[in-house]
Amino acid sequence: KLIAILILQNNHQKLKYNPFYVMLHYLFRIQWIGAKLNGPLIHVRKKKCNGCGLCASLCPVQNIQMRNGIPHFSHDCTMCMNCSLVCPQDAVRPGILNLWRVNGRYPFHKLIENPDISSSYIDDNTKGYFKLFLPYYQQTYKEIKEITGIDYQEI
């Protein structure tokens, strides 16, 4: 719920990088190789595309160029799949990842408003491995209360 609240408030947290993991990332660039192969396979269903250019304007690496109102993809794709998420017409087909395509943005407001979804997955009664997550959950509950005034630990 905290992540959904922060996304709806356009409050993005800055990522923290561990130098060790950054080094591993550069050594094992499997996703980069896959992205280079998949980039040219991304295409648009021309009958569905309305030429709005939203995919091109929101591509974090400017991999998408608009030509005659149709998006064209190059080899610089990072496979973030933002293009398929933001397409209002569900026209983008992300190549070999099409089977895992998500249609449209996730309705975070429904997650927050749904009283049947509990935020108390882990609490003081949790045993075993998942007990290790308790400090994280306690911090999350505290942040939600600061932002919304709602104490999810008591719900």
Side-chain angles (χ1 to χ4, degrees):
K1 291 207 181 216
L2 175 62
I3 293 169
I5 291 167
L6 293 173
I7 288 172
L8 287 172
Q9 291 180 345
N10 204 22
N11 183 359
H12 304 284
Q13 296 176 352
K14 204 167 200 174
L15 295 176
K16 297 174 186 170
Y17 296 101
N18 180 322
F20 177 73
Y21 293 127
V22 171
M23 184 181 71
L24 283 178
H25 171 76
Y26 281 104
L27 289 174
F28 301 102
R29 298 185 222 186
I30 294 170
Q31 182 178 351
W32 290 13
I33 294 166
K36 292 285 184 192
L37 296 173
N38 189 58
L41 299 175
I42 298 174
H43 65 281
V44 172
R45 287 193 172 168
K46 293 176 185 171
K47 289 182 180 179
K48 285 186 152 196
C49 180
N50 65 4
C52 70
L54 194 58
C55 57
S57 67
L58 295 176
C59 179
V61 293
Q62 289 87 37
N63 184 53
I64 307 168
Q65 309 299 318
M66 295 298 289
R67 291 187 214 135
N68 299 322
I70 300 293
H72 292 271
F73 301 83
S74 70
H75 295 276
D76 296 328
C77 179
T78 60
M79 294 197 306
C80 71
M81 298 300 110
N82 195 39
C83 53
S84 67
L85 287 172
V86 300
C87 181
Q89 302 298 317
D90 188 31
V92 178
R93 295 293 179 259
I96 57 177
L97 299 176
N98 195 44
L99 292 173
W100 297 281
R101 183 182 81 252
V102 175
N103 299 326
R105 296 177 182 237
Y106 189 83
F108 289 106
H109 63 281
K110 289 183 180 178
L111 178 66
I112 292 170
E113 295 165 359
N114 189 341
D116 296 331
I117 299 175
S118 170
S119 288
S120 300
Y121 303 111
I122 296 177
D123 57 25
D124 292 325
N125 297 322
T126 304
K127 305 275 189 248
Y129 169 76
F130 293 103
K131 182 92 172 173
L132 297 172
F133 293 96
L134 187 57
Y136 168 77
Y137 274 80
Q138 288 170 335
Q139 178 63 32
T140 302
Y141 297 141
K142 180 181 168 190
E143 290 179 33
I144 290 173
K145 187 172 183 179
E146 289 171 2
I147 294 171
T148 66
I150 299 170
D151 189 351
Y152 280 108
Q153 281 185 297
E154 296 179 7
I155 296 178

